[in-house]
Amino acid sequence: MKRLLIALVVSFALLPITIVSQVKTAPGVVLIKAGRLIDVRAGRVLENQGILVEGQRIKAVGPLAEVQRIAPATAQVIDLSRATVLPGLADCHTHVLLQGYNTSDEYDAQLLKESIPYRTIRATVAARTALMNGFTVMRDLETEGAMYADVDVKTAINRGVIPGPRMFVATRSFSATGMYPLSGYSWELKMPEGVQTVDGADEIRKAVREQVKFGADWIKFYADRRYFMKDGALHSWLNFTHEEMKAMVDEAHRLGKRVAAHAMGWEGIDASLKVGVDSIEHGYGLDEGLMDRMVRQGTYWCPTIYVGVYVAEGRAAAGAPIWLTMRDLEAKAFGTAVRKGVKIAYGTDAGGYAWTENQAKEFTYMVRYGMTPMQAIQSATVVAADLLERAGDFGGIEAGQLADIIAVNGDPLRDITELERVRFVMKGGEVYRNDK
Ligand SMILES: [Zn+2]
C-alpha cells in the first residue's frame, strides 16, 4: 500500500511536466483560427482562414467568418491567428531503431551491445521527437537488425499507447549474403545482421511473403554498395542479380506493397529502374539519363541530403573521401532533377544521424540546391502522400482529410528554417503540442 501511495505521488508529481511538454486533448469539435494558411496543393497562401475539425478529420476550411458561421457554439477554439498553419509533415526515409552513427564501429555497437527491447524503447523516444517536430507521417525504411520491432512501434502509436507519427514500416529490408554489415568478424562467430539476408528468386519471394505476413507496409532492399568514381560519374556494385530483384519487386507488387531501393551509383539506380521499383533512396549518382527514365516511369526520388552532409567529413577523415564527392554530386543532381520534374519525396534518413538533429534541416538543403520553399513543403506533404498512396487522407488542409495540422510563428516561404521551430502539432484532431 505504501509503495502504491509513493507510486501515486510520483506520478502526480510528474503530471505537470507531462502537460507542459505534451498538450494532448481528445478529439472533439475544434475551430482553428489560422492567420496564414499554406494551401500546398494550389501552392498559395491564404489569410484569415478557419479550419473546422470534427473528430479525426477536417470538416471545413475557408474564410474565418464563413467557417465560424457553421461551427457549433460549443466548438473549442484554437487561436493561431498570428501563426502560419500548414499540413503535418511527412518524412519518407527514417530509421527509428537507429540512433545515428559515423563509423561502422558505431553501427556495430548498436547491434552488438543493445538488445532489441532497449532499441525499441529508444525508438519510441525517436517517434515522439519526430511528432513534436511536426512530422505526423513517417515511412520507416528498415530496422537495422531489430527484426519487426518497427511494427510494434507502429501498433503502440496507433493504439494511443505512445505519441508518434503515422508509421509506414519496411521491417527488415533485404540484401544478399556477404553484402551488408555486420562484417569483418571471425568466421567462427555467428554475428547479427542489419538486414534479412536472401539469395535466389524463390527464397526472395518467400521472404517478401514473410515480411508482409509480419506487418511490412513497404519492401526495402539494398541494390548496391562499393561506390566509386569513374569518368566523372558515381558507380557501384550490385547486390542482386536481375532475376532476384525482379522476383522481389513482382512479389511485393502482387501483394499490394510498394518497393524502395537503396541505390547510390549508376548501376544500382539503373538496375532498380529496370525492375520497376517505386522509389530510389539516396540516388547520389543520378545522371540526366536516369532522371529521364524516372520521370517516364513515375519513380519517386528520396534524396536524403542532410545525412550525406552530416556524415561526409567524418567518413572522409576515417579514410573514405568518396563521401565528400557524393555529397557534392548530389547537390548538382538535385537542381537538375527539380528542373526535369522528377517526383521528389522528402526523406532524411534520420536515425542514420542522431534524433537530436531536427529532421526539418533537410528543407534548408532542398532550397539551397534548387527548390522553392513551396516546392520543398510540397515534397513533404502532397508528394509524400502520393508516394504512400494516401492522398485522400493527408498531405493537405482540406475538408475530408485527417486533421494533421502544424503551425510555425514566422513565414516558412521567406525563411524555410521556420520549419525547425514548429510550435503547434495536431494529429488526427488531437493536439500534441501548443507552445505559447
Ligand atoms: Zn536509410
Side-chain angles (χ1 to χ4, degrees), residues 223-359:
D224 63 355
R225 73 190 191 293
R226 292 179 68 163
Y227 320 116
F228 63 98
M229 292 297 292
K230 196 181 154 195
D231 304 328
L234 184 69
H235 294 270
S236 57
W237 288 37
L238 293 177
N239 292 338
F240 290 105
T241 65
H242 174 77
E243 288 67 31
E244 287 174 320
M245 282 188 274
K246 183 100 174 49
M248 193 185 302
V249 175
D250 286 354
E251 194 60 25
H253 286 169
R254 205 175 66 80
L255 298 177
K257 305 298 176 189
R258 287 189 155 184
V259 182
H262 164 113
M264 301 276 264
W266 192 91
E267 288 77 3
I269 301 166
D270 165 66
S272 300
L273 291 175
K274 274 182 184 146
V275 295
V277 303
D278 301 285
S279 70
I280 296 290
E281 306 303 310
H282 317 300
Y284 291 1
L286 273 171
D287 67 11
E288 296 206 21
L290 293 167
M291 290 178 198
D292 291 339
R293 286 163 65 187
M294 289 178 74
V295 171
R296 276 201 302 276
Q297 293 183 214
T299 316
Y300 292 79
W301 181 27
C302 217
T304 70
I305 303 164
Y306 185 65
V307 72
V309 173
Y310 187 81
V311 301
E313 306 275 351
R315 289 190 185 171
I322 187 84
W323 287 89
L324 290 172
T325 312
M326 292 198 294
R327 176 194 66 188
D328 300 339
L329 275 179
E330 185 172 46
K332 267 197 231 147
F334 190 87
T336 311
V338 171
R339 280 195 302 279
K340 283 184 174 287
V342 175
K343 293 194 277 189
I344 299 176
Y346 189 92
T348 65
D349 219 355
Y353 57 86
W355 284 94
T356 45
E357 297 283 312
N358 193 320
Q359 284 160 276

Side-chain angles (χ1 to χ4, degrees), residues 13-25 125 127-134 163-164 422-426 430-436:
L14 286 173
L15 204 55
I17 300 168
T18 315
I19 288 170
V20 169
S21 58
Q22 183 196 318
V23 188
K24 194 177 167 193
T25 57
V125 178
R128 179 184 186 283
T129 300
L131 180 64
M132 294 308 161
N133 284 337
V422 166
R423 52 156 286 199
F424 174 84
V425 178
M426 172 183 272
E430 290 188 46
V431 178
Y432 287 87
R433 178 172 193 168
N434 193 3
D435 303 353
K436 291 302 155 207

